[in-house]
Amino acid sequence: MNSIIERKEVSEKIKDIKDADILVGIPSYNNARTIGHVVRAVQAGFAKYFPDKKCVLVNSDGGSTDGTMDIVQNASIEDFQSILLHHRVRPALKITTPYHGIPGKGSAFRTIFQIADALNVRSCAVVDSDLRSITPEWIELLIKPVMEGGFDYVAPLYHRHKYDGTITNSIVYPITRALYGKRIRQPIGGDFGFSGELARFYLTKDVWQTDVARYGIDIWMTTTAIANNFKVCQTFLGAKIHDPKDPAADLSEMLFQVVGATFDLIETYPAVWKEIKNSETVTTYGFRYAVGLEPVSVNVDKMIDRFKLGVKELKGIWAEFLPPHILDFLKESEEAQKGHFCIPNDIWVDIIYAFVIASHRKILNKEHLLKSMTPLYIGRTASFVLETWNSDAEEVERKIEDLCIAFENKKDFLIEKWQEV
Amino acid sequence: MKNLFARLLSEPLEGFLERFIQFLPNLISAIFLLIIGLIVGWITKKTLYRLLRLLKADEFSERYGINNILIKGGIKDGVSLIVGRFAGWLVFFIFIIISLSSLNVPAIERLLERFFLYLPNLFVAIIILLIGYLMSNFFSRAALIASVNAGIRASGLIGRLVKVTIFLISSTMALEQLGIGRDTIVIAFAILLGGFVFALSIAFGLGARDLAKEYLEKKIKGEDNDYIKHI
């Protein structure tokens, strides 16, 4: 069965609904604790901001065993007056279905796209099921740029703690910006708005057996939208506070999936990114305000230890593709004390571009190559933490801007090396 | 005395010389064939390599993932070079067989006959060793990277152990295929592996009991989440 639409209960539900204006999808897996709040926020968003539109909520579940799907079915707002609604509120239309395919967020999104296509919706949004900070305004902010602004893709913009979102800050944002020329600050934010047309376009791509089916979906959606000239913007949603991630989740596995999907997209769109010279800001919606953020704990000593262990044991593997000056730098860093430990922007950019080229040349098995990056990433994060220990949010943002400029300045070097292959 | 000398030394020597003179053309032709084999093998290698490069065999193998399999096993040469080398050595090997046959020595002929009957076993053993080599490189690198990412100090040792273990397993299988010390090898291997696992269990259960407890507690309770693990 290739399409979820072929499932009897889903096809019957779609026949009943026939078509819709707006669809909001919530992927889930054992999120009974938080999904009720997310569903109520979405329903309130529908009622408050789109009272005259036909709205559908889709829950695409990965086989939860904690009653997540029952909570979605039963969650509703008891008192609409509490959110200052006095007009007649239509009952919310809901579809809850387990998805099939490789277990992961990407497969859940595929099901949401298929239902959006079947209902011929105009605007869609997807929001994470573990969100604690979602409000009804998020639905307006993600949907209205598509409905009224003519945009095809709405990326989120959040306030995050300076040590939160480090893969985004040190790898994914700078690469996306330098290569595709759009300053989308949270390309893998997780909560997006998009047009029905873009959802149908996503479905034409044969990527559902790759890392895109898992953590790679976010960067794939963003890059596919930019590289295929869909109109993109971003919208400020406030703070992103979610349930703590599974502590057993493997950092190297996550890094492999996210960075692997990013590198695959570089491989897919060389004709696009080679032609782009500079980056530009994108339209930003939403009223920006300062928010209180949850603290993020870090253990710099342990991170530096992991980096040094990686250099000691993996430098033989890296020697196959890292330039000599980087190898010399890493050998020197092995001896550096905490006070002097630093991986500067230029070195970090050279490391990432060398990994891009090594992946392009297929020098190593891709999984080995990307997982071997983990100690370097931990080292760079430790260096960033030390550098920004006393910095406020603005100063941290300036430092990320400097890193992005370093990525943009060295792009010609990447193009040159890419063409040598 | 003279007769005795002729019977003891001169006659055997003359006989040997006679047989050697009869054998000499065969020996010369065998050496000649070996030299020819060396040259033809070298030409075959070079020609096939260039022909395959011309036919873009390397690009083809890359497209169909053959290069990936070789890279995973730690072999960095292209398919055209590997096939060229193999063909060159095969041609040289065939010439060695022809040159040995041209000696017309019954003992060598019997040996060759037995060798030909044994050849399929040798071929299978080589394939087993080759696969073992590829697998040992792949898994040792995977184990090294995984243990570094898990923060294990003895990562290098783990990687080397995995490599040696896989290579030992494949060598045991290859030797068994060749029929060399079949029972001895299997028993020795079982004793070694069993002893190793037993030693590890004792070391982990007694020597590192507290470490194991601490590790499992951290894993189950998630207490090890004190450095950045989020996107």
Side-chain angles (χ1 to χ4, degrees):
Chain A
M1 197 189 290
N2 282 325
S3 174
I4 197 75
I5 313 301
E6 291 168 34
R7 279 177 77 104
K8 197 179 163 214
E9 63 273 22
V10 177
S11 69
E12 278 173 4
K13 198 93 189 180
I14 287 169
K15 258 184 214 161
D16 288 346
I17 299 173
K18 287 194 188 88
D19 55 15
D21 298 307
I22 296 167
L23 179 148
V24 172
I26 309 172
S28 65
Y29 179 65
N30 286 341
N31 298 106
R33 219 154 39 141
T34 49
I35 201 161
H37 166 70
V38 178
V39 171
R40 279 190 293 276
V42 173
Q43 284 178 316
F46 286 162
K48 201 168 176 182
Y49 298 103
F50 305 102
D52 54 341
K53 302 279 186 239
K54 196 171 177 185
C55 305
V56 181
L57 186 149
V58 176
N59 170 226
S60 175
D61 189 75
S64 299
T65 51
D66 64 348
T68 297
M69 284 172 75
D70 295 335
I71 290 174
V72 174
Q73 282 293 1
N74 300 327
S76 65
I77 296 171
E78 304 293 325
D79 177 16
F80 275 99
Q81 286 192 359
S82 67
I83 52 167
L84 302 174
L85 276 187
H86 302 288
H87 56 75
R88 193 177 148 268
V89 177
R90 285 195 210 184
L93 299 167
K94 282 183 204 166
I95 299 176
T96 52
T97 177
Y99 62 78
H100 40 68
I102 295 172
K105 190 177 173 183
S107 298
F109 275 24
R110 187 190 186 192
T111 293
I112 294 165
F113 299 153
Q114 286 169 342
I115 295 173
D117 180 33
L119 291 172
N120 202 21
V121 296
R122 281 174 59 202
S123 309
C124 315
V126 279
V127 289
D128 283 343
S129 50
D130 62 348
L131 286 167
R132 291 174 180 279
S133 57
I134 185 171
T135 63
E137 284 65 43
W138 282 35
I139 304 306
E140 183 203 14
L141 288 163
L142 290 171
I143 294 287
K144 276 207 174 152
V146 179
M147 292 282 273
E148 293 168 15
F151 285 96
D152 287 297
Y153 189 72
V154 189
L157 182 63
Y158 317 104
H159 274 319
R160 298 178 85 165
H161 187 277
K162 60 184 175 182
Y163 304 143
D164 188 15
T166 43
I167 297 181
T168 300
N169 293 345
S170 59
I171 304 174
V172 182
Y173 170 52
I175 284 193
T176 306
R177 176 175 152 167
L179 266 61
Y180 305 101
K182 300 280 182 203
R183 295 183 192 174
I184 292 181
R185 185 63 185 83
Q186 298 290 341
I188 53 172
D191 311 296
F192 306 106
F194 47 93
S195 63
E197 189 195 343
L198 184 54
R200 278 183 282 281
F201 183 77
Y202 286 147
L203 284 174
T204 62
K205 302 285 172 188
D206 182 21
V207 290
W208 308 106
Q209 301 304 317
T210 66
D211 287 332
V212 168
R214 301 188 286 170
Y215 284 116
I217 183 72
D218 298 333
I219 188 61
W220 180 80
M221 283 174 69
T222 305
T223 309
T224 304
I226 304 172
N228 292 284
N229 292 321
F230 284 94
K231 270 186 85 182
V232 297
C233 67
Q234 56 188 356
T235 190
F236 181 70
L237 300 174
K240 177 163 182 161
I241 300 167
H242 49 81
D243 248 14
K245 285 229 182 302
D246 175 8
D250 182 7
L251 170 69
S252 66
E253 184 60 34
M254 225 155 32
L255 195 72
F256 164 57
Q257 288 178 31
V258 174
V259 179
T262 309
F263 284 12
D264 285 347
L265 287 158
I266 294 175
E267 209 71 52
T268 310
Y269 296 112
V272 174
W273 60 260
K274 273 192 217 167
E275 297 305 316
I276 293 165
K277 295 292 170 212
N278 297 303
S279 67
E280 58 184 23
T281 52
V282 294
T283 307
T284 303
Y285 287 96
F287 181 73
R288 296 191 76 155
Y289 54 93
V291 285
L293 297 164
E294 287 195 332
V296 174
S297 64
V298 286
N299 183 337
V300 179
D301 291 323
K302 197 169 173 182
M303 288 161 82
I304 294 174
D305 275 355
R306 286 286 173 94
F307 166 79
K308 288 181 177 175
L309 176 67
V311 175
K312 184 179 155 225
E313 298 294 352
L314 301 181
K315 58 178 179 263
I317 293 175
W318 297 333
E320 292 181 40
F321 57 89
L322 285 184
H325 73 280
I326 299 289
L327 292 169
D328 292 342
F329 172 84
L330 293 175
K331 271 177 213 159
E332 282 167 25
S333 301
E334 226 182 319
E335 308 298 324
Q337 297 302 308
K338 186 181 167 185
H340 298 99
F341 185 80
C342 175
I343 299 180
N345 286 348
D346 281 350
I347 294 285
W348 181 242
V349 176
D350 286 348
I351 288 173
I352 294 297
Y353 282 166
F355 270 85
V356 172
I357 295 298
S359 166
H360 179 51
R361 287 183 179 162
K362 297 185 171 67
I363 283 176
L364 279 184
N365 166 266
K366 192 178 157 203
E367 190 169 348
H368 290 181
L369 177 78
L370 294 176
K371 285 190 172 171
S372 81
M373 190 198 277
T374 311
L376 295 170
Y377 161 72
I378 293 173
R380 166 66 194 184
T381 308
S383 164
F384 182 77
V385 170
L386 289 171
E387 199 187 342
T388 57
W389 195 252
N390 296 312
S391 305
D392 59 14
E394 255 179 56
E395 205 176 329
V396 169
E397 212 48 44
R398 269 201 302 277
K399 286 190 188 300
I400 294 170
E401 179 68 21
D402 290 344
L403 177 66
C404 290
I405 290 167
F407 267 91
E408 287 181 23
N409 288 343
K410 291 200 173 204
K411 187 177 169 182
D412 286 342
F413 164 79
L414 175 72
I415 295 172
E416 193 184 306
K417 289 280 168 196
W418 187 276
Q419 280 160 345
E420 279 174 17
V421 181
Chain B
M1 188 67 191
K2 205 176 173 185
N3 278 346
L4 187 71
F5 176 78
R7 227 176 29 241
L8 281 178
L9 206 67
S10 182
E11 277 175 19
L13 267 177
E14 277 169 16
F16 171 75
L17 203 65
E18 202 177 315
R19 281 201 299 278
F20 181 72
I21 288 165
Q22 277 173 359
F23 179 67
L24 199 59
N26 292 348
L27 186 66
I28 291 168
S29 79
I31 292 167
F32 183 68
L33 278 166
L34 267 184
I35 294 166
I36 295 279
L38 211 61
I39 295 166
V40 175
W42 184 79
I43 292 170
T44 309
K45 183 187 116 180
K46 288 280 171 194
T47 315
L48 203 63
Y49 171 65
R50 283 191 186 157
L51 186 73
L52 288 170
R53 293 269 294 178
L54 207 70
L55 293 171
K56 298 192 184 304
D58 288 338
E59 282 87 339
F60 178 84
S61 63
E62 193 174 322
R63 204 177 312 135
Y64 289 94
I66 300 164
N67 272 15
N68 249 352
I69 297 168
L70 295 171
I71 288 167
K72 277 175 195 170
I75 295 174
K76 286 167 207 145
D77 296 330
V79 165
S80 47
L81 186 63
I82 295 168
V83 174
R85 265 188 202 151
F86 180 75
W89 279 107
L90 191 71
V91 167
F92 183 55
F93 181 73
I94 291 167
F95 270 86
I96 291 175
I97 304 286
I98 297 170
S99 84
L100 284 174
S101 306
S102 73
L103 290 174
N104 279 331
V105 178
I108 292 177
E109 277 170 1
R110 273 199 301 279
L111 264 176
L112 276 177
E113 195 183 316
R114 282 175 63 187
F115 174 74
F116 275 114
L117 286 172
Y118 192 64
L119 211 54
N121 289 332
L122 194 68
F123 185 69
V124 173
I126 289 170
I127 299 271
I128 290 171
L129 274 181
L130 189 72
I131 293 171
Y133 174 73
L134 292 172
M135 282 175 70
S136 69
N137 275 345
F138 180 80
F139 286 109
S140 77
R141 200 166 55 203
L144 174 68
I145 293 169
S147 46
V148 165
N149 288 341
I152 299 168
R153 297 251 151 241
S155 305
L157 181 70
I158 292 172
R160 283 191 291 277
L161 263 177
V162 169
K163 189 170 194 159
V164 170
T165 309
I166 295 176
F167 198 70
L168 263 178
I169 292 172
S170 64
S171 305
T172 310
M173 286 165 72
L175 287 172
E176 204 187 332
Q177 181 65 36
L178 293 173
I180 300 170
R182 191 167 282 168
D183 295 336
T184 321
I185 285 166
V186 172
I187 292 165
F189 186 74
I191 290 170
L192 265 178
L193 195 70
F196 180 68
V197 172
F198 186 59
L200 266 186
S201 328
I202 290 176
F204 199 64
L206 293 177
R209 192 169 49 189
D210 294 337
L211 191 74
K213 186 174 167 247
E214 195 185 331
Y215 175 78
L216 289 173
E217 267 177 6
K218 274 184 179 174
K219 276 283 161 199
I220 293 164
K221 292 181 185 170
E223 288 170 2
D224 199 22
N225 196 27
D226 56 353
Y227 66 97
I228 292 175
K229 270 193 171 182
H230 36 73
I231 299 173

